[in-house]
Amino acid sequence: MALEDKVVDIIVDKLGVTRDQVKPEASLIEDLGADSIDTVDLVMTFEEEFGESIPDEDSQKLKTVGDIIAYLKSKGKE
Amino acid sequence: MSNLAGKVAIVTGAARGIGQAIALRLAADGADLALADLKTEWLDDTAAKVRALGRRAECFAVDVASSESVNAGVAAIVAAFGQVDILVNNAGITRDTLILRMTDADWDAVLDINLKGVFLMTRAVAKPMMRARGGAIVNVASVVGVTGNAGQANYTASKGGVIALTKTTAKELGSRNIRANAVAPGYIHTAMTEKLPEELRAQMVKLVPLARPGEPEDVANVVAFLAGPDAAYVNGQTIHVCGGMVM
Ligand SMILES: NC(=O)c1ccc[n+]([C@@H]2O[C@H](COP(=O)([O-])OP(=O)(O)OC[C@H]3O[C@@H](n4cnc5c(N)ncnc54)[C@H](O)[C@@H]3O)[C@@H](O)[C@H]2O)c1
C-alpha cells in the first residue's frame, strides 16, 4: 500500500471521518475535528506503523494531512 | 451477576489481601483476569480461585515501580487476552516512621510503588483502552491520603497523589470513554494491618462508627461497582470505604 493510503487509512480510523474528507490540505484540528489526545494518538500510531520516532518539535509542525505525508517521505518512508 | 462478562481486568498486587478479593469479585461478576504481582508463584492461589469461579486467569510478574517491567507486562497481557477493559491499581506498600526518622529510601520506595506505579500502569493501558474505545480504571487510595496520618508521610503523600492523579486521568481520558475513579479504604483487615500493634488496632476500631475493621471484600464490592456499567456516569471520584471513619 502506498504511503498516502496508509496515512489516510489511519486518519479515517482514528478520527472517524470519511476518506474524501482527508484531503492533503485538510487541517487535522480545524477540518477533521481532532482534539489534543487525537493528535498524540495519531503521532504514536504513525511512529508504530512506520517505525520512525517523531520528536515533539517535529510533531507540533504537522498540522495538515499533507504535512504528515511530506514529513514521512522526508524520512525516506514510502 | 455477570455484568462484566467478556471484559478483561488487570489487577496489580493480586496475590493476597485486598487485591485478591478484588480479583475474585471481578471474576464472580464475569470478567477474565490478568493477575499481576512481583512474582508469578505468589499468584497461584488467586489464579486457582479465579479458575474455580469458571473464569480465565493468567499470571504476570510485574514490578509496578519499573517502567520496563510495566510496559513488558501490559504488552504480554494484551498479547494473551487481545484487550484490556479494566485496570485496578491495587499494589501498594507502607514504610511507616516519623518524618524525623524517615530515610530517603523509605520515601522513594513508597512513592515509586504507590504513586509512580499507578502512573506507569495508567500510561501503559491508555493506548489499548483508547483502541478499544473505552475502559475503566480504579485506583486504590486510602482515607489517610485525605486526612494525613502521623508516621505515614510517605504513604499519605502517595495516596493523596493517587487521588489527584485519578482526577487528571478522568479529565484526560474521559473523552475516550475511559473512566477513572478511586476507592479510599479505611482500616481493612489484611496482612498490611495485621503487622500493626494490637493496641493501635483496637484504637483504630474505636474511630469506626460501624465498630469493626473492614474486610477486603468490602473494598472489592465498591471496586466492582466502579469498574462496571452501573458506574457508567461516575468519573474522577473517590469513594471512601471506611465504615464512616472519615467523612
Ligand atoms: N489494609 C488496609 O487497611 C488498607 C487501607 C487503605 C488502603 N489500602 C491499600 O490497599 C492496597 C492493598 O493493600 P493490602 O492491605 O491488600 O496489602 P498487602 O500487603 O496484603 O498486598 C499488597 C500486594 O501488592 C504487591 N506488591 C507490592 N509491591 C509491588 C510492586 N512493586 N509491584 C507489584 N506488586 C507489588 C504485594 O506483593 C502484595 O501481594 C494497597 O494499595 C494499600 O495501600 C489498604
Side-chain angles (χ1 to χ4, degrees), chain B residues 12-19 36-38 42 62-65 90-93 113-114 140-143 155 159 185-193:
Chain B
T12 67
R16 61 181 198 185
I18 295 171
D37 211 301
L38 287 170
W42 297 351
V62 176
D63 174 0
V64 298
N90 163 81
I93 62 164
I113 294 173
N114 296 13
V140 181
S142 169
V143 289
Y155 185 78
K159 295 300 189 179
Y187 170 34
I188 309 298
H189 181 227
T190 68
M192 184 182 265
T193 51

PDB file of all heavy atoms in Angstrom, chain B residues 12-19 36-38 42 62-65 90-93 113-114 140-143 155 159 185-193, ligand 1:
ATOM      1  N   THR B  12      -3.359  -5.295  39.912  1.00  0.00           N
ATOM      2  CA  THR B  12      -1.986  -5.342  40.414  1.00  0.00           C
ATOM      3  C   THR B  12      -2.001  -5.663  41.907  1.00  0.00           C
ATOM      4  O   THR B  12      -2.955  -5.342  42.612  1.00  0.00           O
ATOM      5  CB  THR B  12      -1.237  -4.016  40.189  1.00  0.00           C
ATOM      6  OG1 THR B  12      -1.827  -2.986  40.997  1.00  0.00           O
ATOM      7  CG2 THR B  12      -1.265  -3.591  38.726  1.00  0.00           C
ATOM      8  N   GLY B  13      -0.938  -6.311  42.366  1.00  0.00           N
ATOM      9  CA  GLY B  13      -0.892  -6.717  43.781  1.00  0.00           C
ATOM     10  C   GLY B  13      -1.987  -7.717  44.104  1.00  0.00           C
ATOM     11  O   GLY B  13      -2.572  -7.695  45.182  1.00  0.00           O
ATOM     12  N   ALA B  14      -2.243  -8.626  43.142  1.00  0.00           N
ATOM     13  CA  ALA B  14      -3.397  -9.530  43.252  1.00  0.00           C
ATOM     14  C   ALA B  14      -3.105 -10.793  44.059  1.00  0.00           C
ATOM     15  O   ALA B  14      -3.969 -11.655  44.203  1.00  0.00           O
ATOM     16  CB  ALA B  14      -3.886  -9.908  41.853  1.00  0.00           C
ATOM     17  N   ALA B  15      -1.883 -10.932  44.608  1.00  0.00           N
ATOM     18  CA  ALA B  15      -1.517 -12.180  45.275  1.00  0.00           C
ATOM     19  C   ALA B  15      -2.318 -12.428  46.545  1.00  0.00           C
ATOM     20  O   ALA B  15      -2.591 -13.582  46.905  1.00  0.00           O
ATOM     21  CB  ALA B  15      -0.022 -12.180  45.605  1.00  0.00           C
ATOM     22  N   ARG B  16      -2.669 -11.360  47.243  1.00  0.00           N
ATOM     23  CA  ARG B  16      -3.294 -11.562  48.558  1.00  0.00           C
ATOM     24  C   ARG B  16      -4.096 -10.323  48.929  1.00  0.00           C
ATOM     25  O   ARG B  16      -4.169  -9.351  48.163  1.00  0.00           O
ATOM     26  CB  ARG B  16      -2.210 -11.815  49.606  1.00  0.00           C
ATOM     27  CG  ARG B  16      -1.274 -10.623  49.720  1.00  0.00           C
ATOM     28  CD  ARG B  16      -0.179 -10.836  50.733  1.00  0.00           C
ATOM     29  NE  ARG B  16       0.404  -9.539  51.090  1.00  0.00           N
ATOM     30  CZ  ARG B  16       1.452  -9.384  51.878  1.00  0.00           C
ATOM     31  NH1 ARG B  16       2.050 -10.444  52.396  1.00  0.00           N
ATOM     32  NH2 ARG B  16       1.900  -8.185  52.171  1.00  0.00           N
ATOM     33  N   GLY B  17      -4.686 -10.365  50.103  1.00  0.00           N
ATOM     34  CA  GLY B  17      -5.319  -9.183  50.683  1.00  0.00           C
ATOM     35  C   GLY B  17      -6.416  -8.610  49.799  1.00  0.00           C
ATOM     36  O   GLY B  17      -7.210  -9.337  49.187  1.00  0.00           O
ATOM     37  N   ILE B  18      -6.429  -7.280  49.745  1.00  0.00           N
ATOM     38  CA  ILE B  18      -7.487  -6.579  49.014  1.00  0.00           C
ATOM     39  C   ILE B  18      -7.430  -6.913  47.526  1.00  0.00           C
ATOM     40  O   ILE B  18      -8.464  -7.109  46.879  1.00  0.00           O
ATOM     41  CB  ILE B  18      -7.363  -5.058  49.271  1.00  0.00           C
ATOM     42  CG1 ILE B  18      -7.639  -4.755  50.759  1.00  0.00           C
ATOM     43  CG2 ILE B  18      -8.317  -4.277  48.384  1.00  0.00           C
ATOM     44  CD1 ILE B  18      -7.338  -3.311  51.180  1.00  0.00           C
ATOM     45  N   GLY B  19      -6.202  -7.019  46.969  1.00  0.00           N
ATOM     46  CA  GLY B  19      -6.056  -7.320  45.540  1.00  0.00           C
ATOM     47  C   GLY B  19      -6.665  -8.670  45.181  1.00  0.00           C
ATOM     48  O   GLY B  19      -7.328  -8.811  44.139  1.00  0.00           O
ATOM     49  N   ALA B  36      -1.415  -9.549  38.343  1.00  0.00           N
ATOM     50  CA  ALA B  36      -0.045  -9.053  38.353  1.00  0.00           C
ATOM     51  C   ALA B  36       0.446  -8.907  39.784  1.00  0.00           C
ATOM     52  O   ALA B  36      -0.281  -8.429  40.653  1.00  0.00           O
ATOM     53  CB  ALA B  36       0.033  -7.700  37.639  1.00  0.00           C
ATOM     54  N   ASP B  37       1.678  -9.364  39.997  1.00  0.00           N
ATOM     55  CA  ASP B  37       2.335  -9.153  41.291  1.00  0.00           C
ATOM     56  C   ASP B  37       3.830  -9.341  41.056  1.00  0.00           C
ATOM     57  O   ASP B  37       4.249  -9.647  39.932  1.00  0.00           O
ATOM     58  CB  ASP B  37       1.803 -10.127  42.362  1.00  0.00           C
ATOM     59  CG  ASP B  37       1.833  -9.504  43.769  1.00  0.00           C
ATOM     60  OD1 ASP B  37       2.938  -9.110  44.231  1.00  0.00           O
ATOM     61  OD2 ASP B  37       0.769  -9.409  44.391  1.00  0.00           O
ATOM     62  N   LEU B  38       4.639  -9.152  42.093  1.00  0.00           N
ATOM     63  CA  LEU B  38       6.091  -9.189  41.893  1.00  0.00           C
ATOM     64  C   LEU B  38       6.564 -10.551  41.384  1.00  0.00           C
ATOM     65  O   LEU B  38       7.474 -10.634  40.576  1.00  0.00           O
ATOM     66  CB  LEU B  38       6.806  -8.832  43.199  1.00  0.00           C
ATOM     67  CG  LEU B  38       6.729  -7.344  43.577  1.00  0.00           C
ATOM     68  CD1 LEU B  38       7.256  -7.129  45.001  1.00  0.00           C
ATOM     69  CD2 LEU B  38       7.516  -6.483  42.589  1.00  0.00           C
ATOM     70  N   TRP B  42       3.488 -16.269  43.561  1.00  0.00           N
ATOM     71  CA  TRP B  42       2.630 -15.732  44.612  1.00  0.00           C
ATOM     72  C   TRP B  42       1.171 -15.665  44.156  1.00  0.00           C
ATOM     73  O   TRP B  42       0.262 -15.539  44.972  1.00  0.00           O
ATOM     74  CB  TRP B  42       3.085 -14.324  45.007  1.00  0.00           C
ATOM     75  CG  TRP B  42       4.467 -14.258  45.590  1.00  0.00           C
ATOM     76  CD1 TRP B  42       5.268 -15.314  45.947  1.00  0.00           C
ATOM     77  CD2 TRP B  42       5.219 -13.070  45.883  1.00  0.00           C
ATOM     78  NE1 TRP B  42       6.465 -14.858  46.443  1.00  0.00           N
ATOM     79  CE2 TRP B  42       6.466 -13.488  46.415  1.00  0.00           C
ATOM     80  CE3 TRP B  42       4.967 -11.712  45.750  1.00  0.00           C
ATOM     81  CZ2 TRP B  42       7.443 -12.577  46.819  1.00  0.00           C
ATOM     82  CZ3 TRP B  42       5.939 -10.800  46.149  1.00  0.00           C
ATOM     83  CH2 TRP B  42       7.159 -11.224  46.672  1.00  0.00           C
ATOM     84  N   VAL B  62       5.048  -8.483  37.449  1.00  0.00           N
ATOM     85  CA  VAL B  62       5.179  -7.061  37.130  1.00  0.00           C
ATOM     86  C   VAL B  62       5.597  -6.314  38.382  1.00  0.00           C
ATOM     87  O   VAL B  62       4.964  -6.453  39.429  1.00  0.00           O
ATOM     88  CB  VAL B  62       3.839  -6.470  36.615  1.00  0.00           C
ATOM     89  CG1 VAL B  62       3.969  -4.969  36.383  1.00  0.00           C
ATOM     90  CG2 VAL B  62       3.370  -7.168  35.350  1.00  0.00           C
ATOM     91  N   ASP B  63       6.676  -5.533  38.263  1.00  0.00           N
ATOM     92  CA  ASP B  63       7.027  -4.588  39.323  1.00  0.00           C
ATOM     93  C   ASP B  63       6.462  -3.238  38.878  1.00  0.00           C
ATOM     94  O   ASP B  63       6.996  -2.623  37.954  1.00  0.00           O
ATOM     95  CB  ASP B  63       8.545  -4.528  39.481  1.00  0.00           C
ATOM     96  CG  ASP B  63       8.962  -3.448  40.471  1.00  0.00           C
ATOM     97  OD1 ASP B  63       8.087  -2.749  41.025  1.00  0.00           O
ATOM     98  OD2 ASP B  63      10.184  -3.304  40.679  1.00  0.00           O
ATOM     99  N   VAL B  64       5.404  -2.782  39.535  1.00  0.00           N
ATOM    100  CA  VAL B  64       4.718  -1.573  39.054  1.00  0.00           C
ATOM    101  C   VAL B  64       5.607  -0.329  39.123  1.00  0.00           C
ATOM    102  O   VAL B  64       5.317   0.677  38.474  1.00  0.00           O
ATOM    103  CB  VAL B  64       3.392  -1.302  39.811  1.00  0.00           C
ATOM    104  CG1 VAL B  64       2.410  -2.448  39.583  1.00  0.00           C
ATOM    105  CG2 VAL B  64       3.632  -1.043  41.287  1.00  0.00           C
ATOM    106  N   ALA B  65       6.701  -0.395  39.896  1.00  0.00           N
ATOM    107  CA  ALA B  65       7.575   0.767  40.028  1.00  0.00           C
ATOM    108  C   ALA B  65       8.563   0.889  38.865  1.00  0.00           C
ATOM    109  O   ALA B  65       9.280   1.880  38.776  1.00  0.00           O
ATOM    110  CB  ALA B  65       8.334   0.693  41.350  1.00  0.00           C
ATOM    111  N   ASN B  90      -3.918  -1.670  42.514  1.00  0.00           N
ATOM    112  CA  ASN B  90      -4.066  -2.005  43.927  1.00  0.00           C
ATOM    113  C   ASN B  90      -2.727  -2.177  44.639  1.00  0.00           C
ATOM    114  O   ASN B  90      -2.652  -1.991  45.855  1.00  0.00           O
ATOM    115  CB  ASN B  90      -4.899  -3.296  44.045  1.00  0.00           C
ATOM    116  CG  ASN B  90      -4.755  -3.941  45.406  1.00  0.00           C
ATOM    117  OD1 ASN B  90      -5.408  -3.540  46.364  1.00  0.00           O
ATOM    118  ND2 ASN B  90      -3.885  -4.945  45.513  1.00  0.00           N
ATOM    119  N   ALA B  91      -1.658  -2.525  43.906  1.00  0.00           N
ATOM    120  CA  ALA B  91      -0.366  -2.795  44.551  1.00  0.00           C
ATOM    121  C   ALA B  91       0.032  -1.605  45.408  1.00  0.00           C
ATOM    122  O   ALA B  91      -0.062  -0.456  44.970  1.00  0.00           O
ATOM    123  CB  ALA B  91       0.708  -3.071  43.504  1.00  0.00           C
ATOM    124  N   GLY B  92       0.478  -1.863  46.618  1.00  0.00           N
ATOM    125  CA  GLY B  92       0.898  -0.768  47.487  1.00  0.00           C
ATOM    126  C   GLY B  92       1.660  -1.303  48.683  1.00  0.00           C
ATOM    127  O   GLY B  92       1.505  -2.472  49.058  1.00  0.00           O
ATOM    128  N   ILE B  93       2.521  -0.450  49.243  1.00  0.00           N
ATOM    129  CA  ILE B  93       3.286  -0.833  50.429  1.00  0.00           C
ATOM    130  C   ILE B  93       3.252   0.303  51.454  1.00  0.00           C
ATOM    131  O   ILE B  93       2.885   1.433  51.120  1.00  0.00           O
ATOM    132  CB  ILE B  93       4.776  -1.140  50.105  1.00  0.00           C
ATOM    133  CG1 ILE B  93       5.480   0.111  49.551  1.00  0.00           C
ATOM    134  CG2 ILE B  93       4.883  -2.298  49.123  1.00  0.00           C
ATOM    135  CD1 ILE B  93       6.998   0.015  49.561  1.00  0.00           C
ATOM    136  N   ILE B 113       6.279   2.880  44.273  1.00  0.00           N
ATOM    137  CA  ILE B 113       5.295   1.804  44.080  1.00  0.00           C
ATOM    138  C   ILE B 113       3.870   2.370  44.102  1.00  0.00           C
ATOM    139  O   ILE B 113       3.071   2.117  43.204  1.00  0.00           O
ATOM    140  CB  ILE B 113       5.477   0.703  45.148  1.00  0.00           C
ATOM    141  CG1 ILE B 113       6.819   0.008  44.931  1.00  0.00           C
ATOM    142  CG2 ILE B 113       4.310  -0.290  45.115  1.00  0.00           C
ATOM    143  CD1 ILE B 113       7.207  -0.980  46.013  1.00  0.00           C
ATOM    144  N   ASN B 114       3.552   3.163  45.124  1.00  0.00           N
ATOM    145  CA  ASN B 114       2.157   3.571  45.319  1.00  0.00           C
ATOM    146  C   ASN B 114       1.688   4.641  44.343  1.00  0.00           C
ATOM    147  O   ASN B 114       0.514   4.658  43.977  1.00  0.00           O
ATOM    148  CB  ASN B 114       1.957   4.106  46.745  1.00  0.00           C
ATOM    149  CG  ASN B 114       2.177   3.048  47.811  1.00  0.00           C
ATOM    150  OD1 ASN B 114       2.699   1.973  47.537  1.00  0.00           O
ATOM    151  ND2 ASN B 114       1.791   3.351  49.034  1.00  0.00           N
ATOM    152  N   VAL B 140      -6.625   2.231  43.995  1.00  0.00           N
ATOM    153  CA  VAL B 140      -6.829   2.020  45.424  1.00  0.00           C
ATOM    154  C   VAL B 140      -5.996   3.051  46.180  1.00  0.00           C
ATOM    155  O   VAL B 140      -4.764   2.970  46.213  1.00  0.00           O
ATOM    156  CB  VAL B 140      -6.469   0.587  45.842  1.00  0.00           C
ATOM    157  CG1 VAL B 140      -6.713   0.407  47.340  1.00  0.00           C
ATOM    158  CG2 VAL B 140      -7.294  -0.427  45.047  1.00  0.00           C
ATOM    159  N   ALA B 141      -6.672   4.044  46.727  1.00  0.00           N
ATOM    160  CA  ALA B 141      -6.009   5.089  47.516  1.00  0.00           C
ATOM    161  C   ALA B 141      -6.124   4.702  48.992  1.00  0.00           C
ATOM    162  O   ALA B 141      -5.988   3.525  49.350  1.00  0.00           O
ATOM    163  CB  ALA B 141      -6.662   6.436  47.227  1.00  0.00           C
ATOM    164  N   SER B 142      -6.405   5.672  49.845  1.00  0.00           N
ATOM    165  CA  SER B 142      -6.603   5.402  51.272  1.00  0.00           C
ATOM    166  C   SER B 142      -7.193   6.658  51.897  1.00  0.00           C
ATOM    167  O   SER B 142      -6.892   7.773  51.446  1.00  0.00           O
ATOM    168  CB  SER B 142      -5.275   5.081  51.955  1.00  0.00           C
ATOM    169  OG  SER B 142      -5.453   5.085  53.365  1.00  0.00           O
ATOM    170  N   VAL B 143      -8.000   6.497  52.944  1.00  0.00           N
ATOM    171  CA  VAL B 143      -8.547   7.693  53.601  1.00  0.00           C
ATOM    172  C   VAL B 143      -7.445   8.568  54.187  1.00  0.00           C
ATOM    173  O   VAL B 143      -7.611   9.784  54.293  1.00  0.00           O
ATOM    174  CB  VAL B 143      -9.581   7.362  54.707  1.00  0.00           C
ATOM    175  CG1 VAL B 143     -10.875   6.838  54.101  1.00  0.00           C
ATOM    176  CG2 VAL B 143      -9.009   6.423  55.739  1.00  0.00           C
ATOM    177  N   TYR B 155       3.490   7.455  52.807  1.00  0.00           N
ATOM    178  CA  TYR B 155       2.268   6.759  52.384  1.00  0.00           C
ATOM    179  C   TYR B 155       1.119   7.735  52.122  1.00  0.00           C
ATOM    180  O   TYR B 155       0.422   7.640  51.109  1.00  0.00           O
ATOM    181  CB  TYR B 155       1.889   5.753  53.472  1.00  0.00           C
ATOM    182  CG  TYR B 155       0.720   4.860  53.147  1.00  0.00           C
ATOM    183  CD1 TYR B 155       0.876   3.755  52.304  1.00  0.00           C
ATOM    184  CD2 TYR B 155      -0.532   5.087  53.706  1.00  0.00           C
ATOM    185  CE1 TYR B 155      -0.201   2.919  52.024  1.00  0.00           C
ATOM    186  CE2 TYR B 155      -1.606   4.260  53.436  1.00  0.00           C
ATOM    187  CZ  TYR B 155      -1.439   3.173  52.592  1.00  0.00           C
ATOM    188  OH  TYR B 155      -2.507   2.352  52.328  1.00  0.00           O
ATOM    189  N   LYS B 159      -0.817   8.446  48.584  1.00  0.00           N
ATOM    190  CA  LYS B 159      -2.253   8.187  48.391  1.00  0.00           C
ATOM    191  C   LYS B 159      -3.013   9.467  48.040  1.00  0.00           C
ATOM    192  O   LYS B 159      -3.962   9.427  47.245  1.00  0.00           O
ATOM    193  CB  LYS B 159      -2.844   7.513  49.627  1.00  0.00           C
ATOM    194  CG  LYS B 159      -2.272   6.106  49.890  1.00  0.00           C
ATOM    195  CD  LYS B 159      -2.530   5.160  48.728  1.00  0.00           C
ATOM    196  CE  LYS B 159      -2.170   3.707  49.064  1.00  0.00           C
ATOM    197  NZ  LYS B 159      -2.448   2.794  47.931  1.00  0.00           N
ATOM    198  N   PRO B 185      -9.926   3.068  51.063  1.00  0.00           N
ATOM    199  CA  PRO B 185     -10.266   2.209  52.202  1.00  0.00           C
ATOM    200  C   PRO B 185      -9.818   2.852  53.514  1.00  0.00           C
ATOM    201  O   PRO B 185      -8.866   3.644  53.548  1.00  0.00           O
ATOM    202  CB  PRO B 185      -9.466   0.930  51.944  1.00  0.00           C
ATOM    203  CG  PRO B 185      -9.044   0.984  50.512  1.00  0.00           C
ATOM    204  CD  PRO B 185      -8.924   2.439  50.184  1.00  0.00           C
ATOM    205  N   GLY B 186     -10.504   2.499  54.588  1.00  0.00           N
ATOM    206  CA  GLY B 186     -10.085   2.911  55.929  1.00  0.00           C
ATOM    207  C   GLY B 186      -9.231   1.816  56.536  1.00  0.00           C
ATOM    208  O   GLY B 186      -8.213   1.431  55.959  1.00  0.00           O
ATOM    209  N   TYR B 187      -9.676   1.286  57.674  1.00  0.00           N
ATOM    210  CA  TYR B 187      -8.920   0.229  58.346  1.00  0.00           C
ATOM    211  C   TYR B 187      -9.475  -1.119  57.900  1.00  0.00           C
ATOM    212  O   TYR B 187     -10.587  -1.500  58.273  1.00  0.00           O
ATOM    213  CB  TYR B 187      -9.040   0.418  59.860  1.00  0.00           C
ATOM    214  CG  TYR B 187      -8.520  -0.730  60.684  1.00  0.00           C
ATOM    215  CD1 TYR B 187      -7.428  -1.493  60.271  1.00  0.00           C
ATOM    216  CD2 TYR B 187      -9.108  -1.051  61.909  1.00  0.00           C
ATOM    217  CE1 TYR B 187      -6.967  -2.544  61.030  1.00  0.00           C
ATOM    218  CE2 TYR B 187      -8.651  -2.097  62.685  1.00  0.00           C
ATOM    219  CZ  TYR B 187      -7.586  -2.854  62.228  1.00  0.00           C
ATOM    220  OH  TYR B 187      -7.135  -3.895  62.982  1.00  0.00           O
ATOM    221  N   ILE B 188      -8.699  -1.815  57.050  1.00  0.00           N
ATOM    222  CA  ILE B 188      -9.148  -3.091  56.489  1.00  0.00           C
ATOM    223  C   ILE B 188      -8.289  -4.208  57.073  1.00  0.00           C
ATOM    224  O   ILE B 188      -7.073  -4.059  57.224  1.00  0.00           O
ATOM    225  CB  ILE B 188      -9.017  -3.086  54.942  1.00  0.00           C
ATOM    226  CG1 ILE B 188      -9.679  -1.846  54.327  1.00  0.00           C
ATOM    227  CG2 ILE B 188      -9.614  -4.372  54.352  1.00  0.00           C
ATOM    228  CD1 ILE B 188     -11.155  -1.687  54.547  1.00  0.00           C
ATOM    229  N   HIS B 189      -8.932  -5.312  57.355  1.00  0.00           N
ATOM    230  CA  HIS B 189      -8.299  -6.457  57.980  1.00  0.00           C
ATOM    231  C   HIS B 189      -7.484  -7.245  56.944  1.00  0.00           C
ATOM    232  O   HIS B 189      -8.045  -8.048  56.187  1.00  0.00           O
ATOM    233  CB  HIS B 189      -9.448  -7.296  58.578  1.00  0.00           C
ATOM    234  CG  HIS B 189      -8.986  -8.502  59.291  1.00  0.00           C
ATOM    235  ND1 HIS B 189      -9.564  -9.737  59.091  1.00  0.00           N
ATOM    236  CD2 HIS B 189      -8.018  -8.677  60.196  1.00  0.00           C
ATOM    237  CE1 HIS B 189      -8.943 -10.619  59.851  1.00  0.00           C
ATOM    238  NE2 HIS B 189      -8.007 -10.003  60.535  1.00  0.00           N
ATOM    239  N   THR B 190      -6.182  -6.970  56.837  1.00  0.00           N
ATOM    240  CA  THR B 190      -5.294  -7.680  55.885  1.00  0.00           C
ATOM    241  C   THR B 190      -3.910  -7.833  56.514  1.00  0.00           C
ATOM    242  O   THR B 190      -3.652  -7.319  57.606  1.00  0.00           O
ATOM    243  CB  THR B 190      -5.084  -6.887  54.574  1.00  0.00           C
ATOM    244  OG1 THR B 190      -4.317  -5.700  54.876  1.00  0.00           O
ATOM    245  CG2 THR B 190      -6.372  -6.490  53.905  1.00  0.00           C
ATOM    246  N   ALA B 191      -3.009  -8.482  55.745  1.00  0.00           N
ATOM    247  CA  ALA B 191      -1.630  -8.661  56.224  1.00  0.00           C
ATOM    248  C   ALA B 191      -0.967  -7.312  56.500  1.00  0.00           C
ATOM    249  O   ALA B 191      -0.149  -7.181  57.419  1.00  0.00           O
ATOM    250  CB  ALA B 191      -0.822  -9.441  55.184  1.00  0.00           C
ATOM    251  N   MET B 192      -1.341  -6.295  55.692  1.00  0.00           N
ATOM    252  CA  MET B 192      -0.726  -4.979  55.858  1.00  0.00           C
ATOM    253  C   MET B 192      -1.049  -4.394  57.241  1.00  0.00           C
ATOM    254  O   MET B 192      -0.206  -3.746  57.863  1.00  0.00           O
ATOM    255  CB  MET B 192      -1.215  -4.022  54.761  1.00  0.00           C
ATOM    256  CG  MET B 192      -0.573  -2.653  54.777  1.00  0.00           C
ATOM    257  SD  MET B 192      -1.248  -1.548  53.487  1.00  0.00           S
ATOM    258  CE  MET B 192      -0.095  -1.776  52.165  1.00  0.00           C
ATOM    259  N   THR B 193      -2.264  -4.600  57.726  1.00  0.00           N
ATOM    260  CA  THR B 193      -2.665  -4.036  59.025  1.00  0.00           C
ATOM    261  C   THR B 193      -2.440  -5.026  60.170  1.00  0.00           C
ATOM    262  O   THR B 193      -2.345  -4.630  61.325  1.00  0.00           O
ATOM    263  CB  THR B 193      -4.144  -3.614  59.007  1.00  0.00           C
ATOM    264  OG1 THR B 193      -4.944  -4.697  58.527  1.00  0.00           O
ATOM    265  CG2 THR B 193      -4.357  -2.410  58.120  1.00  0.00           C
TER     266      THR B 193
HETATM  267  N1  LIG C   1      -5.171  -2.859  54.539  1.00  0.00           N
HETATM  268  C1  LIG C   1      -5.644  -1.659  54.751  1.00  0.00           C
HETATM  269  O1  LIG C   1      -6.166  -1.337  55.832  1.00  0.00           O
HETATM  270  C2  LIG C   1      -5.592  -0.630  53.672  1.00  0.00           C
HETATM  271  C3  LIG C   1      -6.167   0.611  53.919  1.00  0.00           C
HETATM  272  C4  LIG C   1      -6.141   1.583  52.922  1.00  0.00           C
HETATM  273  C5  LIG C   1      -5.567   1.295  51.698  1.00  0.00           C
HETATM  274  N2  LIG C   1      -5.002   0.077  51.476  1.00  0.00           N
HETATM  275  C6  LIG C   1      -4.405  -0.146  50.167  1.00  0.00           C
HETATM  276  O2  LIG C   1      -4.923  -1.312  49.573  1.00  0.00           O
HETATM  277  C7  LIG C   1      -3.961  -1.897  48.695  1.00  0.00           C
HETATM  278  C8  LIG C   1      -3.784  -3.359  49.037  1.00  0.00           C
HETATM  279  O3  LIG C   1      -3.398  -3.455  50.390  1.00  0.00           O
HETATM  280  P1  LIG C   1      -3.355  -4.829  51.200  1.00  0.00           P
HETATM  281  O4  LIG C   1      -3.694  -4.487  52.594  1.00  0.00           O
HETATM  282  O5  LIG C   1      -4.116  -5.861  50.488  1.00  0.00           O
HETATM  283  O6  LIG C   1      -1.761  -5.100  51.126  1.00  0.00           O
HETATM  284  P2  LIG C   1      -0.920  -6.449  51.037  1.00  0.00           P
HETATM  285  O7  LIG C   1       0.432  -6.084  51.514  1.00  0.00           O
HETATM  286  O8  LIG C   1      -1.648  -7.575  51.684  1.00  0.00           O
HETATM  287  O9  LIG C   1      -0.892  -6.718  49.454  1.00  0.00           O
HETATM  288  C9  LIG C   1      -0.211  -5.880  48.574  1.00  0.00           C
HETATM  289  C10 LIG C   1       0.190  -6.677  47.347  1.00  0.00           C
HETATM  290  O10 LIG C   1       0.924  -5.801  46.465  1.00  0.00           O
HETATM  291  C11 LIG C   1       2.051  -6.497  45.990  1.00  0.00           C
HETATM  292  N3  LIG C   1       3.125  -5.568  45.617  1.00  0.00           N
HETATM  293  C12 LIG C   1       3.937  -4.862  46.451  1.00  0.00           C
HETATM  294  N4  LIG C   1       4.839  -4.155  45.754  1.00  0.00           N
HETATM  295  C13 LIG C   1       4.592  -4.410  44.435  1.00  0.00           C
HETATM  296  C14 LIG C   1       5.197  -3.971  43.214  1.00  0.00           C
HETATM  297  N5  LIG C   1       6.245  -3.146  43.212  1.00  0.00           N
HETATM  298  N6  LIG C   1       4.685  -4.426  42.060  1.00  0.00           N
HETATM  299  C15 LIG C   1       3.634  -5.289  42.057  1.00  0.00           C
HETATM  300  N7  LIG C   1       3.031  -5.736  43.164  1.00  0.00           N
HETATM  301  C16 LIG C   1       3.511  -5.308  44.350  1.00  0.00           C
HETATM  302  C17 LIG C   1       2.471  -7.381  47.145  1.00  0.00           C
HETATM  303  O11 LIG C   1       3.289  -8.457  46.700  1.00  0.00           O
HETATM  304  C18 LIG C   1       1.120  -7.842  47.678  1.00  0.00           C
HETATM  305  O12 LIG C   1       0.671  -9.017  47.036  1.00  0.00           O
HETATM  306  C19 LIG C   1      -2.695  -1.053  48.872  1.00  0.00           C
HETATM  307  O13 LIG C   1      -2.613  -0.091  47.840  1.00  0.00           O
HETATM  308  C20 LIG C   1      -2.916  -0.385  50.209  1.00  0.00           C
HETATM  309  O14 LIG C   1      -2.197   0.820  50.317  1.00  0.00           O
HETATM  310  C21 LIG C   1      -5.002  -0.888  52.430  1.00  0.00           C
END
